[in-house]
Short mmCIF file of all heavy atoms in Angstrom, two decimals:
data_model
loop_
_atom_site.label_atom_id
_atom_site.label_comp_id
_atom_site.label_asym_id
_atom_site.label_seq_id
_atom_site.Cartn_x
_atom_site.Cartn_y
_atom_site.Cartn_z
N GLY A 36 -23.01 41.32 50.36
CA GLY A 36 -22.60 40.83 49.04
C GLY A 36 -21.57 41.72 48.36
O GLY A 36 -20.75 41.25 47.57
N ILE A 48 -17.75 50.44 48.81
CA ILE A 48 -19.05 50.41 48.12
C ILE A 48 -20.17 50.07 49.11
O ILE A 48 -21.22 50.72 49.12
CB ILE A 48 -19.04 49.41 46.93
CG1 ILE A 48 -17.93 49.75 45.94
CG2 ILE A 48 -20.40 49.37 46.25
CD1 ILE A 48 -18.03 51.12 45.31
N ALA A 53 -24.76 51.88 52.35
CA ALA A 53 -25.45 52.02 53.63
C ALA A 53 -25.71 53.48 53.97
O ALA A 53 -26.81 53.84 54.42
CB ALA A 53 -24.65 51.34 54.74
N PHE A 62 -34.12 60.20 56.19
CA PHE A 62 -34.19 61.65 56.31
C PHE A 62 -34.84 62.32 55.09
O PHE A 62 -35.90 62.92 55.21
CB PHE A 62 -32.80 62.23 56.59
CG PHE A 62 -32.22 61.75 57.88
CD1 PHE A 62 -31.24 60.77 57.90
CD2 PHE A 62 -32.66 62.25 59.10
CE1 PHE A 62 -30.72 60.30 59.09
CE2 PHE A 62 -32.15 61.79 60.29
CZ PHE A 62 -31.18 60.81 60.30
N CYS A 72 -48.21 63.40 54.16
CA CYS A 72 -49.00 62.17 54.03
C CYS A 72 -50.10 62.13 55.11
O CYS A 72 -49.95 62.70 56.20
CB CYS A 72 -48.08 60.96 54.19
SG CYS A 72 -48.92 59.37 54.06
N TYR A 73 -51.16 61.42 54.81
CA TYR A 73 -52.24 61.18 55.78
C TYR A 73 -51.68 60.55 57.06
O TYR A 73 -52.13 60.83 58.16
CB TYR A 73 -53.30 60.25 55.17
CG TYR A 73 -54.35 59.84 56.15
CD1 TYR A 73 -55.46 60.64 56.40
CD2 TYR A 73 -54.23 58.65 56.87
CE1 TYR A 73 -56.42 60.28 57.33
CE2 TYR A 73 -55.18 58.28 57.81
CZ TYR A 73 -56.27 59.09 58.03
OH TYR A 73 -57.21 58.74 58.96
N ASN A 80 -47.44 51.62 57.14
CA ASN A 80 -46.93 50.25 57.04
C ASN A 80 -45.46 50.10 57.43
O ASN A 80 -45.01 49.02 57.75
CB ASN A 80 -47.17 49.68 55.63
CG ASN A 80 -46.20 50.22 54.62
OD1 ASN A 80 -46.07 51.43 54.46
ND2 ASN A 80 -45.52 49.35 53.93
N ASP A 94 -46.18 69.16 56.56
CA ASP A 94 -46.13 69.84 55.25
C ASP A 94 -44.85 70.64 55.02
O ASP A 94 -44.85 71.61 54.27
CB ASP A 94 -47.36 70.74 55.06
CG ASP A 94 -48.65 69.95 55.00
OD1 ASP A 94 -48.65 68.87 54.38
OD2 ASP A 94 -49.66 70.41 55.57
N LEU A 111 -31.89 52.71 42.70
CA LEU A 111 -30.48 52.56 43.09
C LEU A 111 -30.31 51.54 44.21
O LEU A 111 -29.36 50.75 44.20
CB LEU A 111 -29.90 53.91 43.51
CG LEU A 111 -29.72 54.93 42.38
CD1 LEU A 111 -29.29 56.28 42.94
CD2 LEU A 111 -28.74 54.44 41.34
N ILE A 120 -22.51 43.07 43.42
CA ILE A 120 -22.23 41.66 43.72
C ILE A 120 -21.74 40.94 42.46
O ILE A 120 -20.84 40.10 42.53
CB ILE A 120 -23.47 40.97 44.33
CG1 ILE A 120 -23.84 41.62 45.68
CG2 ILE A 120 -23.20 39.48 44.54
CD1 ILE A 120 -25.17 41.16 46.27
N TYR A 128 -14.67 34.97 42.42
CA TYR A 128 -15.87 34.13 42.56
C TYR A 128 -15.91 33.42 43.90
O TYR A 128 -14.90 32.89 44.37
CB TYR A 128 -15.94 33.09 41.43
CG TYR A 128 -17.11 32.15 41.60
CD1 TYR A 128 -18.36 32.52 41.17
CD2 TYR A 128 -16.95 30.92 42.24
CE1 TYR A 128 -19.45 31.68 41.34
CE2 TYR A 128 -18.02 30.08 42.42
CZ TYR A 128 -19.28 30.46 41.98
OH TYR A 128 -20.35 29.64 42.17
N ILE A 140 -31.83 38.93 44.56
CA ILE A 140 -32.70 38.98 43.37
C ILE A 140 -34.06 38.36 43.68
O ILE A 140 -35.10 38.90 43.26
CB ILE A 140 -32.02 38.31 42.17
CG1 ILE A 140 -30.84 39.19 41.69
CG2 ILE A 140 -33.01 38.08 41.03
CD1 ILE A 140 -29.95 38.54 40.66
N LYS A 169 -54.12 49.09 42.72
CA LYS A 169 -54.98 49.09 41.54
C LYS A 169 -56.26 49.84 41.87
O LYS A 169 -56.74 49.80 42.99
CB LYS A 169 -55.32 47.65 41.14
CG LYS A 169 -54.11 46.86 40.69
CD LYS A 169 -54.51 45.45 40.35
CE LYS A 169 -53.27 44.67 39.94
NZ LYS A 169 -53.56 43.27 39.71
N ASP A 171 -60.05 50.76 42.32
CA ASP A 171 -61.25 49.97 42.63
C ASP A 171 -62.36 50.27 41.67
O ASP A 171 -62.53 51.30 41.16
CB ASP A 171 -61.73 50.26 44.07
CG ASP A 171 -60.75 49.70 45.09
OD1 ASP A 171 -60.10 48.69 44.81
OD2 ASP A 171 -60.67 50.29 46.17
#
Side-chain angles (χ1 to χ4, degrees):
I48 303 299
F62 298 102
C72 180
Y73 174 85
N80 76 305
D94 295 320
L111 291 174
I120 297 171
Y128 176 83
I140 290 171
K169 295 179 182 175
D171 291 329

